[in-house]
Amino acid sequence: MAITFKKIHGNADSKFIKRPDGSQVLPDGTKQEKWTDTIKVLGPGLAISYHARPGYPTDGQIEAVIAAAAAARTIMRKAVREMDRVVFFRRPEGKDFSNIMNYHFGLGNDRNNGTLVSNIVDKSLSVRDIGKKDRRWALNRIREGMLSISFHLNTGMYLIDCDNAERTVKSGAFKGAAGTVSELNEEGYCTWASWAGLDSGLLSSWRNGEIHVGFKLLHDGGYSAEHYARVIIHEAAHKYLGVTDVKYAHQTTDYRGLSFHRCIDNADSFAWAALSLHAGNLLYGTSSKDSTACTDAIAPQAA
């Protein structure tokens, strides 16, 4: 049973102060202006926030959020298990696992660019390799990121609507006429702290903004629960890992050319790799608003 709360707004007339680095802050003693005015608890570990208006959100949109949140939790748990299988228990990677890592995290030999001292698949354990930046080191870095995303999404999810049709405020700082403050087809976003080094690392989830997703856009666009979840996971990578958008997966040529050190800082790499690990084979996007995955054969990104 859903429980609804009304939110208390900040000062609607607040004037933001622009810092030298381009970030904006409110003067002391004022509160950030909010677009949303309602919080609804949809169940254990899931709450949403939005701007209430007649007929919004619809029952279908709420059902889609619930299904996507459940899918995101399941996908991330499976992704972590698959990473643990190889990293902790040192089981063979297998063709599909290797292909996913090589494609989404730049671990193919042709994309190494000197990042790793060794890219041997299923390398035997050796004391001499401790501390070396080899393939197993890279896989553990990926695992750490997947684990952080999974932990946060599985212990509680707070999703804020970013429907652009009537929005007049974004991130408490950008104001404009309804429908002009964001891209019309924005799937989601997360606002970075972008100051004092708190946009990444351990404190990123505390300082970075919340996960925003388009309740109306993703539901009306026919996104499956898994690909709605992909959007949530992408934004969670921004919030909890502090990673950026180096390239999107649909930017096929540029995306497939990223080396490991760029992929590990790329939200779409984590989102599509998690989706692939859950499916058990390589999935990748071809459109910026892709609601389905492509599974047709591509040249294996062999290590």
Side-chain angles (χ1 to χ4, degrees):
M1 178 174 153
I3 303 175
T4 303
F5 305 90
K6 299 301 288 184
K7 295 178 67 177
I8 300 175
H9 276 211
N11 184 352
D13 297 321
S14 296
K15 302 297 183 182
F16 283 80
I17 299 173
K18 191 170 184 178
R19 294 182 170 182
D21 64 0
S23 62
Q24 299 183 75
V25 295
L26 283 167
D28 291 339
T30 61
K31 294 182 179 180
Q32 189 179 57
E33 184 179 353
K34 305 293 185 182
W35 163 244
T36 59
D37 59 12
T38 305
I39 296 175
K40 180 172 285 189
V41 178
L42 299 180
L46 177 61
I48 63 173
S49 183
Y50 55 91
H51 180 68
R53 48 195 186 272
Y56 187 86
T58 66
D59 290 343
Q61 290 163 0
I62 290 178
E63 290 171 1
V65 172
I66 294 173
R73 295 187 186 102
T74 299
I75 289 168
M76 290 313 306
R77 289 197 301 268
K78 176 68 178 295
V80 171
R81 286 199 300 271
E82 288 301 304
M83 297 303 303
D84 284 348
R85 180 182 64 81
V86 174
V87 176
F88 273 170
F89 300 106
R90 303 187 76 85
R91 299 291 188 266
E93 287 189 20
K95 179 184 67 175
D96 288 318
F97 182 94
S98 294
N99 211 25
I100 293 167
M101 294 298 109
N102 294 344
Y103 187 92
H104 288 302
F105 281 102
L107 291 182
N109 278 331
D110 59 335
R111 295 164 61 181
N112 190 3
N113 296 334
T115 302
L116 306 179
V117 298
S118 170
N119 197 27
I120 299 173
V121 176
D122 301 331
K123 188 176 183 180
S124 299
L125 181 63
S126 171
V127 176
R128 292 175 299 178
D129 293 326
I130 296 177
K132 288 185 177 180
K133 293 184 177 180
D134 57 10
R135 186 179 179 91
R136 288 198 176 276
W137 169 85
L139 292 178
N140 188 55
R141 286 284 308 280
I142 297 167
R143 177 197 168 273
E144 289 174 348
M146 293 289 191
L147 181 60
S148 179
I149 296 172
S150 180
F151 171 80
H152 286 96
L153 293 185
N154 276 282
T155 52
M157 225 177 289
Y158 180 52
L159 306 176
I160 302 177
D161 172 53
C162 66
D163 172 46
N164 191 47
E166 298 188 40
R167 178 178 283 269
T168 57
V169 174
K170 182 176 181 180
S171 302
F174 304 101
K175 306 176 186 179
T180 66
V181 298
S182 297
E183 296 179 16
L184 289 175
N185 295 318
E186 187 170 54
E187 292 177 316
Y189 73 85
C190 174
T191 305
W192 288 293
S194 71
W195 59 275
L198 298 180
D199 57 325
S200 61
L202 184 63
L203 297 178
S204 64
S205 61
W206 174 57
R207 290 305 313 173
N208 287 340
E210 301 301 332
I211 298 171
H212 294 69
V213 293
F215 295 167
K216 184 178 189 302
L217 175 70
L218 299 180
H219 171 263
D220 294 358
Y223 280 54
S224 67
E226 288 74 19
H227 287 277
Y228 197 143
R230 170 179 57 80
V231 177
I232 294 173
I233 295 167
H234 176 109
E235 302 308 331
H238 287 317
K239 178 172 177 61
Y240 299 116
L241 303 183
V243 300
T244 61
D245 287 319
V246 180
K247 293 294 178 183
Y248 294 102
H250 68 272
Q251 298 170 310
T252 310
T253 301
D254 291 337
Y255 184 83
R256 292 178 68 174
L258 295 178
S259 59
F260 171 75
H261 80 279
R262 301 300 303 283
C263 292
I264 203 71
D265 186 39
N266 191 44
D268 244 16
S269 296
F270 283 96
W272 279 99
L275 207 68
S276 298
L277 290 169
H278 177 257
N281 56 270
L282 177 63
L283 304 179
Y284 61 101
T286 59
S287 166
S288 61
K289 306 305 174 190
D290 211 351
S291 61
T292 58
C294 296
T295 58
D296 49 304
I298 62 171
Q301 306 287 287

